[in-house]
Amino acid sequence: MAQTSSTAVPHHIAIVMDGNGRWATRRFLPRIAGHQQGVGALNRCVQACIARGVGVLTVFAFSSENWNRPPDEVSGLLELLALSLAREVPSLKANGVQLHFVGDRQRLSEKFKAGLTQAEQATEGNQRLVLNVCFNYGGRWDIAQAARKLMQEGSEITEMALDRAMALAHVPDPDLLIRTGGEMRISNFLLWQAAYAELHFSDKLWPDFDDAALDAAIEVYRNRERRFGQTSEQLGADSKKTAMKAA
Ligand code: IPE
Ligand code: IPE
Ligand code: MG
């Protein structure tokens, strides 16, 4: 979808919420305790994004590859999502959050799928913040499913058509992509949509990612020059033109 060139508050922030396991291990706790803390950090981040006027928050909660973790961690994460839905949806609804689950639902149980759909329906009229929770999601899965959809429709495969068939077609591309936990990789997140996102890597483990860390990331973003393939001089000329028009 269309990119924004404004360097004010990013309209769309995407986050790889990494570091829950290490947060717990450092405290001699089971890894699932880190994931539980991670839900709290996400709640705070949602509030902070609303307060700062962010329009879209997309978070990576469970990757296509996370099924390869020990079975007890996988079942613990599935349970935690089901529990968090029941617990958090009323306040998300009251806070104007429109919830979307993005990812492959085929492998999920009927009960689980129904829970996701109900949560989406309960919040569909909300406009303050779009929250995309990427669950059983992978950037490669998204590109493949979009291409499959177009093939089945008999549509030509163009960038624009693929864009429309992607799982995040309801929002513009992310402006700022944050990864917490210190790793400097994408891990199969938003491979298509992050083409021109500004990247920010934070050493904070996700449960410790607080308002100050979010503000620091936004500040870094505001000081970046987004060129989208143009030169600095062209951008300078464009902003002069805009200023002249406004005068
Ligand atoms: C991110 O935290 C959450 C998920 C991948 C579900 P991790 O569980 O990957 O935490 P670390 O990277 O092991 O510390
Ligand atoms: C990425 O974190 C996935 C999520 C945050 C849900 P991982 O912890 O799975 O990524 P790798 O394995 O370190 O690349
Ligand atoms: Mg990790």
Side-chain angles (χ1 to χ4, degrees), residues 20-40:
N20 295 347
R22 278 164 284 166
W23 185 94
T25 307
R26 282 178 197 176
R27 288 163 177 78
F28 306 102
L29 294 169
R31 291 177 59 87
I32 196 69
H35 297 311
Q36 285 161 351
Q37 287 293 319
V39 176

Side-chain angles (χ1 to χ4, degrees), residues 52 204 209-218:
R52 285 153 185 76
K204 282 216 183 263
F209 192 81
D210 53 12
D211 287 15
L214 178 68
D215 285 333
I218 293 175

Side-chain angles (χ1 to χ4, degrees), residues 60-69 77 134-139 186-189:
F60 205 3
F62 191 88
S63 76
S64 315
E65 292 76 30
N66 286 149
W67 294 105
N68 298 325
R69 292 196 174 192
L77 280 164
C134 296
F135 188 85
N136 194 17
Y137 170 88
I186 304 282
S187 300
N188 201 12
F189 192 43

Side-chain angles (χ1 to χ4, degrees), residues 20-240:
N20 295 347
R22 278 164 284 166
W23 185 94
T25 307
R26 282 178 197 176
R27 288 163 177 78
F28 306 102
L29 294 169
R31 291 177 59 87
I32 196 69
H35 297 311
Q36 285 161 351
Q37 287 293 319
V39 176
L42 178 56
N43 279 334
R44 291 192 297 276
C45 188
V46 166
Q47 293 305 328
C49 284
I50 292 173
R52 285 153 185 76
V54 171
V56 184
L57 176 65
T58 299
V59 294
F60 205 3
F62 191 88
S63 76
S64 315
E65 292 76 30
N66 286 149
W67 294 105
N68 298 325
R69 292 196 174 192
D72 62 333
E73 182 166 347
V74 171
S75 57
L77 280 164
L78 292 174
E79 259 170 51
L80 183 61
L81 180 67
L83 201 77
S84 306
L85 276 183
R87 217 182 268 158
E88 311 298 343
V89 166
S91 67
L92 290 173
K93 196 177 165 185
N95 282 315
V97 176
Q98 188 188 113
L99 193 56
H100 294 260
F101 290 95
V102 177
D104 187 0
R105 298 192 191 189
Q106 275 177 18
R107 192 169 163 174
L108 308 174
S109 72
E110 288 306 318
K111 193 172 164 212
F112 203 90
K113 277 192 265 194
L116 301 186
T117 309
Q118 268 167 20
E120 287 177 332
Q121 284 170 349
T123 61
E124 68 188 353
N126 285 343
Q127 298 295 335
R128 202 173 290 155
L129 176 80
V130 174
L131 173 62
N132 298 308
V133 178
C134 296
F135 188 85
N136 194 17
Y137 170 88
R140 289 177 174 178
W141 162 80
D142 197 9
I143 295 167
Q145 71 79 27
R148 206 177 308 123
K149 216 187 274 174
L150 295 183
M151 215 175 65
Q152 281 162 0
E153 286 170 5
S155 305
E156 199 189 338
I157 298 198
T158 62
E159 284 189 27
M160 222 197 277
L162 272 169
D163 221 24
R164 276 198 306 266
M166 290 280 171
L168 277 175
H170 57 287
V171 289
D173 285 346
D175 300 295
L176 171 63
L177 192 156
I178 301 170
R179 181 173 183 140
T180 64
E183 312 292 355
M184 295 198 198
R185 55 178 173 257
I186 304 282
S187 300
N188 201 12
F189 192 43
L190 306 182
L191 296 183
W192 175 271
Q193 297 87 349
Y196 270 101
E198 294 299 325
L199 307 181
H200 177 70
F201 298 97
S202 164
D203 284 333
K204 282 216 183 263
L205 302 176
W206 174 247
D208 296 327
F209 192 81
D210 53 12
D211 287 15
L214 178 68
D215 285 333
I218 293 175
E219 196 46 37
V220 167
Y221 168 84
R222 291 167 75 119
N223 287 309
R224 298 264 177 90
E225 183 180 64
R226 305 187 75 191
R227 291 195 286 275
F228 297 107
Q230 290 189 292
T231 65
S232 274
E233 290 70 23
Q234 283 176 297
L235 295 177
D238 285 351
S239 59
K240 255 190 223 150

